[in-house]
Amino acid sequence: MADRYLRFAGTAPGRLLTRRLGLPQPAPLHRFSPERPSLGGGLLHLTAGKPDLDLAPVLARTGLPEDTGHPAAVVLDATGVRDVDALAEVHAALRPVVRSVASSGRIVVLGSPLDPCDHHQAAAQQALEGFVRSLGKEIGRGRTVNLLRLTDAGAAESTLRFLLSPKSAYVSGQVIETGAAQEADVDWERPLAGRTALVTGGARGIGEAVAATLARDGARVVVLDVPQAEQDARRVAEQLGGTALALDITAADAGERIAAALPDGLDVLVHNAGITRDRRLVNMPAERWSPVLEVNLASMLRTTDALLGAGAVKRGGRIVATASIAGLAGNAGQTNYGASKAGVVGLVRSLAPRALAGHGVTVNAVAPGFIETKMTAAVPLFIREAGRRMNSLAQGGLPADVAETTAWLAHPASGAVNGQVVRVCGQSLLGA
Ligand code: NAI
């Protein structure tokens, strides 16, 4: 499972050889750890056009010192770009500084929502998307480029903090939109203290990392997994001071049983359980089609409806669903899986505004790309290598990358993030 190529490419002969042969040059990513919690450099704040927002107080609270020489992060406020002419200012602002951005650094471009601006403004703002995605593909050295469309700087604080931290190491080429302010009294160190989070499929892989990350952020975690995985679920739960719940999520009454197990309700619901049963459609019997749709999508719909209907997800609650880039781009051999994961996107986009209006609950999705887990270790070597390299960071992600993204979406200060589908894929070429 270890990425030996990544290690080799980091050695002196490896660097030389990969450069000579024009091979991918993955850089080791700086990920969050208690020892290295921040990017380890300063912030350069640039503007293009005449911005309406005052970002300075929010940026100051990220704790990144101002740095104009060799910044670890660049924020370009392009919310004031209202026509094509103003795009020249985007070019003029970033071109001179791109080279100086530190390895594993961040470029975050801020834009305005496309609606309700006029078509000249919409064209210029949409242009930022192509700009960001293109720059993400050429910048290299573990650096990421993302676009955040916002209307309210305060409401975007948790998102800015995430994007300007090592927690977003594998998130690049994304377009995220945040809405209006949701007031929240936030403890930025342990934001989930006093809250209960349930993670389906939490006994191993990505779900285990999600459970650990939410527990790190203070949540009391309930690790749900199938009865066959109960021992692992218990082990994970015990390590995190949480509890295990042995339950097959496809059970018709799974929602009711979760609600019964958590009489005080829950604050964070992470739908992570998922399976694959790959075959090309011509060779796929119904026995391989149905379980994938059932585990990945139908049970998610059923339990969400039951829990929201019973009022078991508290106001201010967060639902995070797990999609996949296979649901956005499609993947040979995965018509069942791709359909189920695209269905998750449909669920999230449709339910998000209604869940917020009716229950005060946000609904978002993470869409992982190639993540190093037991699931991907089983993929044949060449397909695995292609999956690892065919993204802007030229490497696979880790379960922690999906977990950190989930923790940001689960954050009490992320109430303005709703209906978003955020790919954690290192800007995979698939479904770009
Ligand atoms: P995994 O196979 O390592 O873990 C999945 C967990 O879900 C297991 O513990 C399993 O027992 C549990 N589970 C399966 N069916 C269940 C059911 N009916 N009820 C309760 N629990 C059930 O998978 P991995 O890699 O950790 O994936 C987690 C999620 O991320 C899945 O939804 C997967 O589709 C998605 N994903 C993973 C990617 C990757 O590269 N590993 C890429 C894209 C999406």
Side-chain angles (χ1 to χ4, degrees):
M1 198 155 80
D3 188 346
R4 293 203 189 91
Y5 180 86
L6 172 67
R7 259 187 264 146
F8 171 68
T11 63
R15 262 194 301 276
L16 189 73
L17 196 68
T18 51
R19 203 173 310 131
R20 281 265 170 86
L21 297 177
L23 293 170
Q25 295 189 291
L29 303 182
H30 171 188
R31 292 185 163 91
F32 176 89
S33 68
E35 297 73 37
R36 294 178 74 203
S38 87
L39 289 175
L43 171 83
L44 176 62
H45 179 189
L46 304 169
T47 55
K50 283 204 180 53
D52 302 322
L53 301 172
D54 181 12
L55 280 161
V58 172
L59 292 180
R61 287 199 292 275
T62 63
L64 297 170
E66 213 181 297
D67 186 337
T68 50
H70 190 53
V74 176
V75 172
L76 172 69
D77 184 349
T79 53
V81 167
R82 294 190 175 80
D83 55 31
V84 173
D85 285 349
L87 288 170
E89 294 180 44
V90 173
H91 169 260
L94 280 177
R95 185 176 170 233
V97 302
V98 164
R99 205 171 268 139
S100 63
V101 178
S103 296
S104 272
R106 304 276 179 269
I107 293 183
V108 178
V109 176
L110 305 179
S112 303
L114 301 179
D115 192 37
C117 54
D118 70 43
H119 60 291
H120 287 258
Q121 191 170 350
Q125 285 292 328
Q126 183 79 44
L128 295 175
E129 201 170 308
F131 172 81
V132 157
R133 293 206 159 119
S134 300
L135 184 58
K137 289 185 175 175
E138 63 185 41
I139 195 164
R141 289 183 19 221
R143 298 176 291 182
T144 66
V145 189
N146 291 291
L147 173 63
L148 171 58
R149 293 201 176 112
L150 74 173
T151 46
D152 179 323
E157 181 163 348
S158 70
T159 304
L160 276 165
R161 284 184 184 239
F162 171 69
L163 291 175
L164 296 172
S165 82
K167 293 178 176 174
S168 58
Y170 201 60
V171 176
S172 194
Q174 297 307 290
V175 179
I176 297 160
E177 188 161 330
T178 56
Q182 306 276 318
E183 97 278 355
D185 210 2
V186 179
D187 168 357
W188 292 99
E189 286 304 308
R190 282 172 68 78
L192 296 175
R195 292 174 190 243
T196 302
L198 180 122
V199 184
T200 71
R204 68 176 208 196
I206 294 172
E208 180 177 358
V210 169
T213 304
L214 299 182
R216 176 203 69 192
D217 284 355
R220 190 177 77 84
V221 179
V222 182
V223 179
L224 181 151
D225 215 298
V226 286
Q228 302 90 293
E230 189 174 1
Q231 223 178 341
D232 284 334
R234 274 187 199 286
R235 176 186 50 81
V236 173
E238 269 161 31
Q239 278 166 6
L240 304 173
T243 49
L245 182 58
L247 176 64
D248 187 327
I249 201 71
T250 61
D253 61 349
E256 289 75 10
R257 283 164 63 185
I258 293 170
L262 293 166
D264 295 331
L266 75 160
D267 303 277
V268 179
L269 170 60
V270 182
H271 290 296
N272 162 80
I275 58 168
T276 52
R277 296 284 183 273
D278 297 355
R279 276 286 163 83
R280 285 178 184 267
L281 185 61
V282 287
N283 299 322
M284 187 181 295
E287 303 86 79
R288 292 182 89 85
W289 172 271
S290 306
V292 172
L293 270 294
E294 190 51 37
V295 175
N296 297 2
L297 182 59
S299 66
M300 195 188 286
L301 284 157
R302 248 188 335 260
T303 44
T304 302
D305 288 351
L307 289 167
L308 282 177
V313 187
K314 294 187 205 163
R315 286 199 86 75
R318 307 275 179 257
I319 298 176
V320 184
T322 308
S324 163
I325 55 167
L328 306 175
N331 201 15
Q334 293 197 315
T335 49
N336 50 357
Y337 186 76
S340 72
K341 294 299 189 178
V344 171
V345 174
L347 180 174
V348 164
R349 292 202 173 130
S350 167
L351 180 61
R354 281 178 291 121
L356 189 60
H359 303 273
V361 171
T362 63
V363 187
N364 293 285
V366 288
F370 184 96
I371 305 294
E372 305 278 359
T373 63
K374 279 190 184 147
M375 190 159 141
T376 48
V379 172
L381 176 70
F382 285 105
I383 302 176
R384 186 164 75 232
E385 265 310 294
R388 274 178 175 150
R389 301 307 151 215
M390 282 170 62
N391 59 73
S392 297
L393 298 169
Q395 61 196 285
L398 300 181
D401 296 320
V402 184
E404 295 290 7
T405 307
T406 304
W408 152 58
L409 295 170
H411 201 290
S414 294
V417 189
N418 196 26
Q420 303 296 297
V421 178
V422 182
R423 296 197 298 147
V424 186
C425 65
Q427 197 180 18
S428 168
L429 296 182
L430 301 174

